Amino acid sequence: MLAKFFIFLTLSCALLQAADKPKDQDVEMLAKTVTKDGDVAHAIGNVVVYSPQYLITADEAYYNYVTGDLELFGNITMLEGVNYASRSGHSKLNLKTKKGTSDPLFFFDESSSVWLKCENAVLDAETYITQKSIVSSCNTQDPDWKIVFTTGEFNKESKWMHLYNPVFYAGDVPVFYLPYFAFSTDRTRRTGLLRPDFGMSSSEGLYYMQPIYFAPAVDWDLELRPQIRTNRGEGLHATYRFVDTAYSKGEITTGYFKEQSHYVNEENLKNDAHYGFHLQYDRSALLSTQYSQIQEDGLWVDIHYLNDIDYYNTKDNEDTVYDKLAVSRLNYYIKQEQDYFGFYTKYYIDTSKNSNKDTLQELPTIQYHRFTSPIFWDNLLYSVDYQGKNYTREERGVKTPSAVGAIQNEVRTPLTFYTSFFDDYVHASASENIYMTYVTYSGETDGSYLQHYSNYHRFNLFTDLSKSYDTFFHTMYIGLEHTVPSYSKTEGTQYKATFTNAVTSEDMIPLDLEEKNTAFQFKQFFYDMDGEKKLSHSIKQAYYYDKEYHYGDLENDVKYYINGHLYVGDTVHYSHHYDQLSRNQISVTYQEPIYQVSLRHTYVDRTYEHNTEDKDYSYVTLYAETAYWEHFTLFSAINYDVEDDLFKSWSLGFKKVKKCWDYSLVYRDSNTPKQTTSTNGIDSVNKRGVMLMFNLYPMGSFSYDFKTESEQKQ
């Protein structure tokens, strides 16, 4: 509204009289009536004052061209730069020194929507000092929240507002008092304190974390997060973020938490200190910017180190259940038009084990891949894939073989002939596939080896059709794949091992072995005339000629899109051998602007061919959210283990959002792992509690978190 007013006022100035001004002053005054007495100009009626820093309107004004003193009366509106605007009844301002007074004053910061109202204010070039004031970011009439304070200071350079003797109000109700409070209206990245996090736990006592943020340069920053848990211990975590080139970024996180001795004894913890390290680095162009023959390359580093699972659980106050397996990776690849080179490493830390010396690591894997290319003529295609893998560990375990490590070389070379018939309605391909691997073992089994060579034929016959009908559009894929092993020879020893991600024993060095089978696959999609998907369906069935039971699991997947908001899906694996469902996942999803619901039930039987543990799984996950009520959101999340009759986690809460503030109340119940001195090395803690959070824009948020805990034995 102010901008429109000034545009209108400026266009009307052609009818106004202008006062003379010395050429050395960059100030202009326009009004209906302007008179001059010596060095003082007196303007009355629709006064407009222009200066390099201000655009001012008022009913009446006096301006001294020599001293720069400006006195304004009645309906004063002042625009300072592009962010600050104020209203006043009487103001004095020196346009040279930028010092003055206003009474009363209404001040508005456009960038943060914060406004301030006071009885009187002292102004200078950098600060506004106010008395008997109110500040808020809500509507000026009956604000939802406000802060009333006796004295305040707003620094326009640092954009910090300092309040003395503030009283916080919810509506017209006083909530609490502080002797001093400060906040920033600046939304840009800068050094300072971040929102603190505090809560209360029945076993850990008072929890308080105060993040400190340092941003000395545009290409890096540092965040320190000291914390205290009065009944448990103290810790410090830090994150260093950086951008070193236009193609890369990274961050390093580390931390240390020291337990109090009585807490270690009461909770039967394995360690009295928890520490760890995490490095992430992503670079999309390492050498390709320097060497034109490299079309594309990339580096990805993701390194984890921790002494136990409680390093994760003490990083903050969130009840997050972490995977017991921490995997570190270092990957690099180079891609050219027809060739691909890769270098990968994997290092496992299994936090459920007291030692990872017997954990089999993959350090490193190297790969060369030749993309599918024609040879001799266009219909004859070939590709080559080579992988060299180094499996290593410090020592063998109880359930692992004598072999400490191994080096494996693998080569795959498919040669494929492709053609089509009947105007491309029918497609066919035949391929000859060669697979070779050679493994040498190290450690106590020096000299032992594993050698394998095989080839197999693969034939594909398929059609890919589409047709438009009066009310829908249909696409369909029907394919038949027949695989025939031709020759296979294995020499040497295949050891067994228990890997970190499986309980059952399996081959230490897995071989790519094909079995004679025929697989049928059918896919279809239905679309309405607007191009919206209505139904997707796929089915796959394999028949194995040499297995004791010939039929593999029948795989069937259906998704029905009822409308643009709701769809249901069902993925089924049926075991012909055991005459039962081996895996079934049913999901229902509904999503629109004010409602969102996702319900999923997953059942995995021990007969499922990809189930690596000899047990059944059945669990339900639910997430629901509604914003049916204006400014109000209700949400809930559940993760329930049907087989163990146990809620892994669940939460229920609501959030109210308005223009200038929001608040949320959440009840959470979850199970968090901890490392102990028990036989299996890991138990869990069940945490239950409520969290209340307020967020006042732009000052930030504060929350109160109260939890009770109980120990869960595994």
Side-chain angles (χ1 to χ4, degrees):
M1 295 299 293
L2 290 174
K4 293 180 180 178
F5 170 74
F6 285 121
I7 293 173
F8 174 78
L9 192 61
T10 302
L11 294 175
S12 303
C13 286
L15 303 176
L16 304 179
Q17 300 178 22
D20 295 333
K21 63 183 181 67
K23 294 182 179 180
D24 60 344
Q25 288 284 350
D26 194 12
V27 177
E28 184 176 353
M29 181 183 291
L30 305 173
K32 285 184 177 181
T33 302
V34 178
T35 60
K36 184 180 179 184
D37 185 6
D39 297 328
V40 178
H42 182 204
I44 301 175
N46 293 338
V47 179
V48 179
V49 179
Y50 297 92
S51 79
Q53 188 170 359
Y54 301 101
L55 174 60
I56 306 171
T57 65
D59 293 339
E60 185 178 2
Y62 290 90
Y63 178 61
N64 190 310
Y65 286 108
V66 176
T67 63
D69 290 326
L70 176 66
E71 187 171 7
L72 305 160
F73 299 90
N75 298 312
I76 304 164
T77 300
M78 183 185 301
L79 296 181
E80 185 177 355
V82 296
N83 290 326
Y84 303 133
S86 62
R87 296 272 298 177
S88 179
H90 174 243
S91 293
K92 291 182 179 181
L93 180 66
N94 187 288
L95 296 181
K96 293 182 178 180
T97 64
K98 310 298 188 297
K99 294 182 178 181
T101 60
S102 288
D103 56 280
L105 176 71
F106 178 87
F107 172 80
F108 180 71
D109 181 0
E110 174 72 24
S111 62
S112 63
S113 298
V114 169
W115 57 263
L116 181 148
K117 183 166 60 175
C118 66
E119 292 187 4
N120 53 73
V122 178
L123 318 177
D124 64 26
E126 293 186 358
T127 61
Y128 283 18
I129 299 175
T130 66
Q131 304 288 332
K132 298 180 180 179
S133 310
I134 299 174
V135 67
S136 181
S137 62
C138 300
N139 295 329
T140 56
Q141 301 295 325
D142 299 323
D144 290 341
W145 67 266
K146 61 186 177 183
I147 304 175
V148 178
F149 54 99
T150 58
T151 305
E153 177 183 319
F154 176 69
N155 190 302
K156 292 180 287 185
E157 298 296 326
S158 65
K159 298 185 179 181
W160 271 90
M161 188 168 287
H162 304 268
L163 314 179
Y164 298 91
N165 300 309
V167 179
F168 292 76
Y169 282 78
D172 294 325
V173 179
V175 178
F176 62 90
Y177 162 83
L178 289 174
Y180 168 79
F181 180 72
F183 66 93
S184 174
T185 63
D186 190 3
R187 300 293 90 192
T188 60
R189 174 179 170 271
R190 68 199 182 282
T191 298
L193 299 179
L194 301 181
R195 177 182 65 86
D197 189 14
F198 56 91
M200 180 69 72
S201 169
S202 59
S203 65
E204 298 183 359
L206 175 66
Y207 163 80
Y208 180 78
M209 176 187 286
Q210 177 57 71
I212 309 169
Y213 184 68
F214 299 92
V218 296
D219 56 351
W220 70 274
D221 58 48
L222 175 66
E223 182 182 343
L224 302 178
R225 297 181 298 279
Q227 63 165 293
I228 182 172
R229 305 175 191 230
T230 55
N231 292 344
R232 182 170 182 177
E234 302 81 27
L236 174 65
H237 293 79
T239 300
Y240 170 72
R241 306 175 186 90
F242 61 93
V243 175
D244 57 333
T245 72
Y247 312 98
S248 59
K249 62 181 179 179
E251 69 175 46
I252 301 172
T253 299
T254 186
Y256 181 88
F257 188 90
K258 177 65 174 178
E259 303 277 8
Q260 297 177 10
S261 57
H262 71 87
Y263 189 88
V264 176
N265 296 329
E266 291 172 2
E267 299 297 324
N268 193 31
L269 297 182
K270 176 191 174 185
N271 300 307
D272 63 357
H274 318 293
Y275 48 87
F277 171 88
H278 184 204
L279 166 64
Q280 279 189 326
Y281 183 74
D282 181 13
R283 179 156 182 170
S284 59
L286 184 63
L287 300 176
S288 55
T289 56
Q290 304 176 33
Y291 301 97
S292 58
Q293 61 268 34
I294 299 178
Q295 183 181 19
E296 178 184 329
D297 72 331
L299 174 66
W300 169 247
V301 181
D302 186 14
I303 305 297
H304 295 263
Y305 173 76
L306 65 159
N307 69 326
D308 63 28
I309 193 67
D310 275 314
Y311 167 70
Y312 287 143
N313 298 332
T314 55
K315 287 178 66 176
D316 51 39
N317 204 33
E318 293 297 321
D319 291 336
T320 306
V321 179
Y322 292 88
D323 193 331
K324 67 177 183 178
L325 192 66
V327 183
S328 296
R329 295 178 173 87
L330 191 155
N331 299 339
Y332 176 73
Y333 76 92
I334 294 176
K335 178 181 176 295
Q336 295 176 311
E337 185 175 352
Q338 292 294 332
D339 302 292
Y340 173 94
F341 303 88
F343 176 90
Y344 326 108
T345 64
K346 284 185 180 180
Y347 187 86
Y348 302 94
I349 298 178
D350 190 342
T351 59
S352 66
K353 298 165 64 174
N354 291 327
S355 172
N356 278 271
K357 291 184 177 182
D358 65 339
T359 301
L360 198 64
Q361 314 291 354
E362 300 176 33
L363 301 172
T365 295
I366 57 175
Q367 181 183 17
Y368 166 74
H369 183 81
R370 176 74 175 181
F371 294 109
T372 301
S373 307
I375 182 173
F376 302 130
W377 63 87
D378 291 343
N379 286 35
L380 187 61
L381 308 172
Y382 83 100
S383 68
V384 177
D385 186 89
Y386 164 78
Q387 293 190 43
K389 303 176 182 179
N390 180 37
Y391 298 95
T392 183
R393 56 186 165 184
E394 294 185 47
E395 60 185 37
R396 62 187 180 91
V398 176
K399 295 183 179 181
T400 54
S402 299
V404 174
I407 296 177
Q408 180 185 21
N409 292 279
E410 284 185 301
V411 178
R412 296 175 178 84
T413 57
L415 182 66
T416 305
F417 176 77
Y418 166 82
T419 189
S420 61
F421 309 95
F422 309 114
D423 292 331
D424 287 337
Y425 276 93
V426 179
H427 306 263
S429 67
S431 65
E432 184 70 20
N433 301 267
I434 299 175
Y435 172 70
M436 297 178 288
T437 186
Y438 186 82
V439 180
T440 57
Y441 297 102
S442 62
E444 299 178 20
T445 57
D446 275 345
S448 60
Y449 71 98
L450 173 66
Q451 179 176 286
H452 175 82
Y453 171 86
S454 64
N455 80 300
Y456 58 92
H457 321 299
R458 178 165 288 165
F459 305 93
N460 283 278
L461 187 67
F462 63 95
T463 183
D464 203 345
L465 307 172
S466 61
K467 184 176 181 180
S468 178
Y469 296 86
D470 293 338
T471 58
F472 65 93
F473 185 79
H474 182 222
T475 67
M476 181 173 59
Y477 170 91
I478 304 175
L480 200 64
E481 181 180 271
H482 183 61
T483 302
V484 182
S486 175
Y487 175 80
S488 179
K489 181 179 180 181
T490 303
E491 295 180 352
T493 305
Q494 174 64 286
Y495 291 103
K496 297 289 182 179
T498 302
F499 284 84
T500 55
N501 59 347
V503 172
T504 56
S505 180
E506 57 186 48
D507 290 343
M508 178 180 173
I509 305 299
L511 300 179
D512 188 3
L513 302 178
E514 290 290 340
E515 299 178 89
K516 184 179 180 180
N517 71 90
T518 301
F520 169 80
Q521 190 168 15
F522 172 78
K523 297 180 182 179
Q524 61 177 334
F525 300 91
F526 292 86
Y527 302 85
D528 62 20
M529 299 312 295
D530 295 326
E532 297 292 332
K533 188 185 296 184
K534 301 299 294 182
L535 178 71
S536 67
H537 174 226
S538 67
I539 187 169
K540 184 177 181 180
Q541 175 64 65
Y543 179 87
Y544 295 92
Y545 294 87
D546 299 326
K547 280 188 175 181
E548 181 180 354
Y549 201 89
H550 300 304
Y551 293 96
D553 284 0
L554 173 67
E555 303 175 20
N556 187 77
D557 181 81
V558 178
K559 285 186 178 66
Y560 176 55
Y561 300 83
I562 299 174
N563 52 46
H565 306 293
L566 176 64
Y567 73 88
V568 295
D570 186 21
T571 302
V572 172
H573 289 245
Y574 178 79
S575 173
H576 297 282
H577 187 187
Y578 297 98
D579 195 21
Q580 67 179 53
L581 295 181
S582 59
R583 183 179 184 272
N584 186 27
Q585 184 177 84
I586 302 174
S587 61
V588 180
T589 301
Y590 182 82
Q591 188 170 5
E592 63 172 76
I594 62 173
Y595 294 108
Q596 180 177 338
V597 180
S598 176
L599 176 64
R600 177 180 298 173
H601 173 253
T602 304
Y603 172 77
V604 179
D605 191 82
R606 68 188 64 198
T607 61
Y608 179 52
E609 56 187 348
H610 300 296
N611 188 352
T612 58
E613 300 189 24
D614 189 23
K615 61 177 296 187
D616 299 338
Y617 293 92
S618 180
Y619 47 92
V620 175
T621 56
L622 168 68
Y623 180 80
E625 177 182 302
T626 178
Y628 176 81
W629 301 275
E630 186 178 10
H631 308 304
F632 188 84
T633 301
L634 181 67
F635 54 87
S636 177
I638 297 174
N639 188 348
Y640 177 67
D641 191 322
V642 179
E643 200 67 30
D644 293 336
D645 191 19
L646 173 68
F647 284 98
K648 295 290 188 182
S649 65
W650 67 276
S651 62
L652 177 66
F654 67 88
K655 183 175 184 178
K656 186 169 185 179
V657 180
K658 301 196 75 173
K659 178 182 178 182
C660 60
W661 73 303
D662 66 60
Y663 70 92
S664 58
L665 179 66
V666 184
Y667 178 85
R668 297 181 296 188
D669 186 305
S670 65
N671 291 286
T672 303
K674 68 173 184 177
Q675 196 147 11
T676 68
T677 58
S678 60
T679 303
N680 61 6
I682 189 166
D683 291 328
S684 66
V685 175
N686 177 255
K687 296 185 178 182
R688 301 177 299 276
V690 296
M691 184 183 72
L692 177 63
M693 175 178 288
F694 291 92
N695 192 9
L696 306 180
Y697 311 141
M699 286 179 278
S701 60
F702 59 93
S703 62
Y704 176 77
D705 196 353
F706 178 81
K707 295 189 292 287
T708 61
E709 301 178 359
S710 61
E711 189 172 358
Q712 307 292 316
K713 294 293 185 180
Q714 295 188 0

